[in-house]
Amino acid sequence: MEKVIFKTIVRLRRLAFFRVADRTLMMLMPLAVVGSIFQFLWQSVFSPTSLISNIFYFDKWLPDHLFNAAWYSCQGVTSVIFGTFGLFTAYFSAQYTARLYQKDAQMAGVSGMLALLLCAYRFRDTRDFQLSFNWRFLNINSFLFALLIGFGTGLIFRFLGVEYHHRHTESAQQIKQNSFRPMLATWVIGLIVGILTSLVHVRVVATNFYQFFQSQGQNNLNLGVFIPLLLLALLLNWLGIGQPLASLTAGSDSATNVANLNYALTHGSSWNVPNPYVGNSLYQSYGRFGGSGLTLVLLIGILIFIKKSSIVRVARWSFIPTLFGSNQGAFLGIPIMLNPLFLFPYVVLPVMNMLLAASMIAIHLVPASAYNVLSGTPGPLVAFIATNGTWQALVFSMLLFALDILLYLPIIKMSKDVQDEIDLLNDEEAVYKHVK
């Protein structure tokens, strides 16, 4: 059975789309790791509501101008990197697709970026000739959209471009012959898609879709409804559409959570809160150790059981940010996103954790999570703090964490073998002819 799964995964990752996705993620990995480090500094160190900031009392001894400067700097770097992530995705996706078919990779990358900008441009919001984009389509939460734009651009170059060999110098006439037709076709298609999305209000539909997840996350106490939505949101996040998961699990200030907090503050305990099975509280406490899909669990498993591999370096670089909840570097660098091997544990294990936690709450072995938790709290400690330091919650979290590592272990071992096969394929494709 293991050999069948291994061969199937390798076969899938050898398909053109997954090869393009794999190479694109490989190129974007340093950017994602740097972004996650600055996100960690922004949200978990230099935020007034962060755990680290309160432990070290930054507000008592660090001058306000230095603290604010660090906060704004880290927030700015994070926003720039993750807010424009789609542009780099479209560039590298188009570049590698064109290179895969021996076409002009550099011009394909530029065309992919411009096509994405045309698709995201607000054609009906052109006041004073100022550029206006729907930035939601350009940020990291729309990774799949940008990847498909780049992949489609590369395919246009495949069918309309001429065979291309990389040269040290090129004349304007050579560039026109190689790339003019596919570039023009890409921009026209991007223009048409951008105008159509404005006319048929695709952006409004997308906004309403995300708001539906947000309202369900804030108001739904029925795990029978919340968990299917969580499964869908995790699947979409694995595909590269991150906004539904962020919307669904962001309701920490909802009316139900406030009611639970008021009860816990009044009675000095969260054992008998009126709403013990709030979906987003269960997810934050037990379904999100270090990020979506239990990313911290995966990193620890890699660092313990894999000695030499490219993914070990990524695990080391992204471990500290992931420990404090900034997991984008690991998510894209391992990679977990669009990796068929990680799909099942990424989607299913968080839900399993939540159901086990709900059963423990039902039989009164663990109290419900009701207290507010500071940002940047390490994943395994969230339930402990959210129950006001209840030791039962801490022990259960540690046992659950160890169980998750054991369940991830077969996937971790197989991922190394699969990645070795893919690295060999990439090494074979890395040999290009350079014509002087």
Side-chain angles (χ1 to χ4, degrees):
M1 184 64 182
E2 184 177 340
K3 291 183 179 180
V4 173
I5 296 175
F6 175 80
K7 291 181 179 179
T8 303
I9 296 297
V10 171
R11 192 177 299 114
L12 282 173
R13 293 192 65 182
R14 284 179 175 270
L15 296 177
F17 175 76
F18 284 104
R19 287 159 69 183
V20 169
D22 184 72
R23 181 57 65 90
T24 301
L25 290 167
M26 186 185 304
M27 298 300 295
L28 293 172
M29 180 271 294
L31 194 64
V33 171
V34 171
S36 67
I37 291 173
F38 277 94
Q39 186 181 55
F40 153 68
L41 294 173
W42 165 37
Q43 296 181 348
S44 303
V45 177
F46 296 112
S47 171
T49 60
S50 71
L51 180 67
I52 294 177
S53 178
N54 282 268
I55 288 176
F56 291 100
Y57 296 101
F58 286 156
D59 60 328
K60 302 294 184 182
W61 58 270
L62 189 64
D64 288 344
H65 64 278
L66 292 179
F67 185 87
N68 291 332
W71 189 90
Y72 284 119
S73 299
C74 295
Q75 187 267 347
V77 174
T78 305
S79 299
V80 168
I81 290 177
F82 290 148
T84 61
F85 207 81
L87 293 174
F88 304 106
T89 302
Y91 177 85
F92 287 117
S93 175
Q95 182 191 57
Y96 184 64
T97 306
R99 183 169 293 178
L100 193 62
Y101 298 108
Q102 288 81 49
K103 307 300 178 182
D104 191 343
Q106 182 173 344
M107 298 310 297
V110 173
S111 299
M113 291 179 65
L114 185 57
L116 179 62
L117 289 172
L118 288 171
C119 291
Y121 185 68
R122 298 180 185 270
F123 286 93
R124 303 178 72 175
D125 186 16
T126 54
R127 290 166 291 188
D128 300 327
F129 300 99
Q130 294 181 354
L131 289 176
S132 178
F133 295 100
N134 188 327
W135 291 97
R136 178 176 288 169
F137 290 164
L138 301 179
N139 66 26
I140 195 169
N141 285 329
S142 296
F143 176 88
L144 180 63
F145 177 69
L147 182 71
L148 291 174
I149 292 292
F151 185 67
T153 299
L155 292 180
I156 292 174
F157 270 74
R158 175 192 179 185
F159 293 112
L160 296 183
V162 300
E163 186 173 348
Y164 179 82
H165 298 283
H166 292 270
R167 301 173 183 271
H168 292 295
T169 57
E170 292 180 325
S171 65
Q173 185 63 29
Q174 290 172 329
I175 296 175
K176 291 178 182 179
Q177 291 176 352
N178 293 333
S179 307
F180 182 76
R181 286 192 304 168
M183 288 173 62
L184 181 60
T186 300
W187 298 341
V188 169
I189 293 174
L191 177 63
I192 293 173
V193 171
I195 293 174
L196 288 177
T197 55
S198 296
L199 293 177
V200 301
H201 302 289
V202 171
R203 299 182 181 96
V204 175
V205 174
T207 300
N208 292 336
F209 180 67
Y210 299 151
Q211 288 177 347
F212 167 76
F213 277 89
Q214 184 174 7
S215 64
Q216 292 298 314
Q218 290 180 339
N219 303 316
N220 199 325
L221 303 181
N222 184 357
L223 289 182
V225 176
F226 184 88
I227 285 179
L229 288 175
L230 179 62
L231 289 170
L232 176 59
L234 286 168
L235 173 61
L236 291 174
N237 198 63
W238 176 85
L239 287 170
I241 306 173
Q243 192 59 47
L245 181 62
S247 300
L248 181 67
T249 59
S252 60
D253 58 348
S254 65
T256 50
N257 283 317
V258 171
N260 285 348
L261 177 60
N262 289 336
Y263 179 94
L265 293 174
T266 302
H267 295 81
S269 170
S270 62
W271 278 100
N272 298 298
V273 294
N275 307 299
Y277 308 112
V278 180
N280 49 47
S281 294
L282 283 171
Y283 176 74
Q284 297 294 342
S285 297
Y286 302 103
R288 192 183 180 273
F289 290 148
S292 59
L294 310 174
T295 313
L296 182 62
V297 171
L298 176 61
L299 292 188
I300 291 179
I302 289 173
L303 293 174
I304 292 176
F305 297 105
I306 297 181
K307 301 304 179 184
K308 294 182 179 180
S309 177
S310 58
I311 62 175
V312 175
R313 291 192 296 271
V314 177
R316 290 171 180 166
W317 295 335
S318 56
F319 179 79
I320 295 298
T322 302
L323 177 64
F324 294 95
S326 301
N327 72 320
Q328 295 290 3
F331 187 53
L332 277 76
I334 295 298
I336 303 170
M337 182 187 291
L338 289 173
N339 188 336
L341 187 60
F342 292 111
L343 173 59
F344 183 79
Y346 180 84
V347 173
V348 172
L349 288 187
V351 173
M352 181 203 73
N353 282 9
M354 291 174 60
L355 291 176
L356 289 174
S359 66
M360 293 296 104
I361 294 172
I363 60 178
H364 299 284
L365 289 180
V366 174
S369 298
Y371 294 89
N372 291 330
V373 177
L374 295 172
S375 61
T377 300
L381 298 180
V382 170
F384 177 66
I385 296 176
T387 58
N388 199 26
T390 306
W391 66 268
Q392 293 95 327
L394 179 62
V395 171
F396 178 67
S397 294
M398 294 298 104
L399 292 175
L400 204 57
F401 194 81
L403 175 63
D404 291 333
I405 293 177
L406 292 177
L407 293 176
Y408 249 122
L409 182 57
I411 305 298
I412 291 171
K413 291 181 177 179
M414 190 180 296
S415 69
K416 179 184 181 301
D417 297 332
V418 172
Q419 193 60 48
D420 289 342
E421 289 287 330
I422 300 303
D423 289 342
L424 287 175
L425 177 63
N426 290 336
D427 291 341
E428 292 172 2
E429 293 176 352
V431 181
Y432 297 104
K433 294 181 180 179
H434 294 270
V435 181
K436 295 183 180 180

